[in-house]
Amino acid sequence: MSGLRRAPRPSHGPAAIASSPWIVVFAGVVVMVVLLFVALGAYRGRSPAPDDGPPPAGLPLPPVPASPYELSPTPLPENSALLPGLSPRASGSPPSTPVMSRPPAVSPTGTASARPSTRAPQRPPAVSGRYRVVQSFDGGFIGEVLIVNSSDVDRGWTVRFDFTGGRLVTIWVEGVPQGTVRQVDGGFSYVSGVDVPGGGSVALRFHLERASTTPRGCTVDGVRCSGF
């Protein structure tokens, strides 16, 4: 029996695993199945709250700040009719807008100054007169009132004189029909015989004796003459 040899025993080490790879695959599958069941059990153990449900107890909610643009509804009287398409809030009267008044103008010295007047400036009279002495001599003088029409239309006119003392010798307008002379309260007036043309002028002359060359009064249509 010495010539018989024993068959070698199979090795249970890494050589056996390498020769049987399905053992490794089977072990991996088993591990993955076990991990999957563990994960499913952990997920089912959690109970998440729904999105629209109440928050979990024990967690205080932060206060909600009030909106500065929120308006409280305006109460309406009973039996009040509403316009179609308008809400009760819109049917009320709109709020009044405050009127801002301008402060008075202040001068550089610090005192309030009056505002300039907005009234239109007064227009010069349409007919005016300018007085002058044409010639003076012993016992009297010859004076003149030049009547000027600043308007665009022909106008009649009336001149009134008032001298201290003296005597009216004559009065005339050269080259035109003469007007009417009247005594008025110690003086005299002359009403034109013809109109003075628009934009033109006419000279009224007179001869006075024993009178001052400066009249106390001279007007054309109630407006004081210039030149004295």
Side-chain angles (χ1 to χ4, degrees), residues 168-189:
L168 179 62
V169 178
T170 184
I171 187 170
W172 74 98
V173 178
E174 294 182 358
V176 296
Q178 301 304 306
T180 304
V181 183
R182 295 189 179 91
Q183 294 287 336
V184 180
D185 298 334
F188 60 92
S189 66

Side-chain angles (χ1 to χ4, degrees), residues 76-159:
L76 295 178
E78 297 182 358
N79 300 328
S80 60
L82 299 180
L83 298 179
L86 297 180
S87 63
R89 183 180 301 174
S91 61
S93 59
S96 59
T97 303
V99 179
M100 302 299 292
S101 59
R102 293 184 178 179
V106 179
S107 63
T109 58
T111 58
S113 59
R115 293 185 178 181
S117 175
T118 56
R119 292 182 299 178
Q122 296 181 354
R123 295 182 179 180
V127 180
S128 60
R130 182 169 64 248
Y131 174 82
R132 74 184 182 102
V133 176
V134 177
Q135 182 181 2
S136 60
F137 44 84
D138 187 15
F141 72 96
I142 295 175
E144 178 189 271
V145 175
L146 182 65
I147 295 92
V148 179
N149 183 4
S150 59
S151 66
D152 297 332
V153 296
D154 299 350
R155 292 181 178 272
W157 44 274
T158 299
V159 178

Side-chain angles (χ1 to χ4, degrees), residues 187-210:
F188 60 92
S189 66
Y190 183 92
V191 181
S192 62
V194 293
D195 296 343
V196 58
S201 61
V202 63
L204 173 65
R205 293 187 175 182
F206 53 91
H207 178 195
L208 279 177
E209 292 181 345
R210 299 185 300 276

